[in-house]
Amino acid sequence: MDPDGKTIIPVGVDVGATTVRVGVVDEAGAVVHLDRRPTPQAGEAASFFDLLTQRIREAARRFAEKISIPIDAPLAVGVALPATLSADRRYVVRCVHLPFLTQASIAPVATWRDVLFTDWRGHSGGTSRGSELVVQEANAKGASSFLDLPRGSTVTLLTDIEAALWGEYHLRGKTPPRFGHLRLGTGVGFGVVLDGRVQRLDADRRTHPEWLIVDESASAPSCPCGLRGCLERFVSGPALEWRLREHGLASDLAGFRRALDAQETVAHAFLRDTAGWIVRALRNIETRWRPDVVVIGGGVCRGVPQLVEAVGTLCGSVQEGSHMPIKGDRGGDSAGVLGAALLARDGVPS
Ligand SMILES: [Zn+2]
């Protein structure tokens, strides 16, 4: 409920490098009216946000009609981007896979911050709802490029990792106390909840963190983030497919999965090798964050379900000697939508 007693609709927007997902979280905590669209690969931020506005309003309208509330009910929208954000969540620091969303690509006279965050209010204190944009006032000031939402709506900017992390954490009953999530998709990221709080691991960051560097040899491949030997260069969807083609194994993840299902020896050797890179990162993560569990998910795991099991087996092997439990995800491709909507509704506990 908002201060006027209106029902607030929690909406999650998960912008992936290839797919934009928009959905509403209902009273039971389930994602409903999930809409999946291809992510525009070029264009301007303004037209992209027009598209998001349409999808958000459509999902909210369907939900409002279903539960018989006014279709102009205020929304709590969590927008998760495949990007790193400034510490105050006001603007995108870096968005490698969708460069048109980065600050630099927007005309100098209208930076991301000016266009999207005309009237920003950062709340603090015990009952904080996190940093929020009061859209009602932004609209009144004519920020026409921004998400055009019903009066009283709020927007919370998140990273894709934070949103998926929170979705998975929620789906496991918000336990255990140190909860890690490694996400393998077009990009690779890691997030951790410690005692119910989302840790800001990548605020203001332009590169992958050091605990995701798995190859420190002289021949380590360079990463778009500017470093070398990042896990992303080995196990992101595009990197994995490139390596599969290099090895003459398959042209894509589906082909790799078929080769694994057919028990091809060379495919299983490649799977163990790939799991080995992930385990290297997990070792760094274990040292740095001491998680009680790490849930592994993302598009790569959906494409190759055998991967998580291979990582778990290798991680628990005698030679690794690790006791950190590895588990598969529960939220599938809607974990980000779920987490984004819940964080927008309840505030980001950090
Ligand atoms: Zn990198």
Side-chain angles (χ1 to χ4, degrees):
M1 294 275 183
D2 77 352
D4 300 331
K6 282 186 177 174
T7 299
I8 296 175
I9 302 177
V11 181
V13 178
D14 184 12
V15 179
T18 56
T19 307
V20 176
R21 299 173 183 85
V22 178
V24 173
V25 170
D26 69 11
E27 304 88 327
V31 174
V32 295
H33 307 306
L34 183 62
D35 178 86
R36 299 178 180 87
R37 307 272 161 156
T39 305
Q41 297 299 309
E44 293 180 352
S47 57
F48 176 69
F49 277 86
D50 283 346
L51 181 125
L52 288 192
T53 297
Q54 287 172 19
R55 304 325 314 163
I56 292 166
R57 280 188 169 264
E58 173 63 14
R61 183 190 63 76
R62 290 170 64 193
F63 182 71
E65 285 177 356
K66 191 175 138 204
I67 66 165
S68 302
I69 62 169
I71 58 165
D72 63 346
L75 316 178
V77 182
V79 179
L81 298 171
T84 56
L85 307 175
S86 61
D88 59 8
R89 296 185 185 281
R90 289 189 185 193
Y91 57 92
V92 172
V93 172
R94 189 180 170 108
C95 188
V96 168
H97 300 289
L98 298 172
F100 67 93
L101 286 180
T102 55
Q103 207 180 6
S105 69
I106 299 175
V109 289
T111 64
W112 170 279
R113 189 166 167 169
D114 293 336
V115 172
L116 302 180
F117 300 99
T118 305
D119 189 351
W120 180 275
R121 289 181 181 174
H123 298 281
S124 60
T127 56
S128 166
R129 287 176 51 80
S131 298
E132 295 172 349
L133 175 74
V134 180
V135 178
Q136 179 183 340
E137 295 187 21
N139 284 348
K141 289 189 177 182
S144 57
S145 298
F146 181 64
L147 294 174
D148 181 18
L149 303 176
R151 289 176 70 85
S153 298
T154 59
V155 175
T156 305
L157 203 57
L158 304 157
T159 70
D160 53 351
I161 296 299
E162 289 172 330
L165 166 71
W166 195 256
E168 291 295 335
Y169 181 59
H170 176 82
L171 290 170
R172 288 183 184 270
K174 297 190 176 178
T175 59
R178 303 178 74 87
F179 183 93
H181 183 40
L182 181 66
R183 203 138 184 102
L184 314 174
T186 304
V188 167
F190 175 76
V192 63
V193 177
L194 300 180
D195 295 324
R197 295 174 185 278
V198 176
Q199 304 300 301
R200 294 295 307 275
L201 304 189
D202 57 2
D204 286 324
R205 185 177 276 281
R206 291 180 180 277
T207 63
H208 285 115
E210 63 277 12
W211 58 87
L212 288 181
I213 294 175
V214 293
D215 184 357
E216 294 183 278
S217 71
S219 59
S222 57
C223 179
C225 79
L227 299 179
R228 296 164 68 90
C230 299
L231 182 64
E232 180 162 311
R233 292 294 284 111
F234 296 88
V235 301
S236 69
L240 200 50
E241 291 188 337
W242 184 84
R243 290 175 55 233
L244 285 166
R245 286 193 291 270
E246 271 269 296
H247 285 72
L249 266 171
S251 59
D252 56 17
L253 296 187
F256 181 41
R257 184 178 179 173
R258 283 193 297 275
L260 290 169
D261 287 341
Q263 301 302 326
E264 288 181 19
T265 310
V266 62
H268 279 272
F270 184 91
L271 180 71
R272 280 192 298 278
D273 179 65
T274 302
W277 292 114
I278 297 170
V279 170
R280 284 188 183 206
L282 289 172
R283 238 188 269 143
N284 296 342
I285 286 166
E286 188 173 18
T287 303
R288 178 68 180 80
W289 297 105
R290 303 255 162 235
D292 299 315
V293 66
V294 174
V295 167
I296 304 182
V300 168
C301 302
R302 288 193 296 281
V304 187
Q306 296 94 332
L307 185 57
V308 175
E309 194 186 333
V311 171
T313 303
L314 190 56
C315 222
S317 67
V318 175
Q319 91 205 54
E320 288 297 332
S322 168
H323 301 291
M324 186 170 66
I326 304 299
K327 295 191 187 301
D329 69 336
R330 288 185 173 167
D333 82 330
S334 63
V337 169
L338 174 65
L342 294 177
L343 289 171
R345 185 191 70 186
D346 303 332
V348 184
S350 54

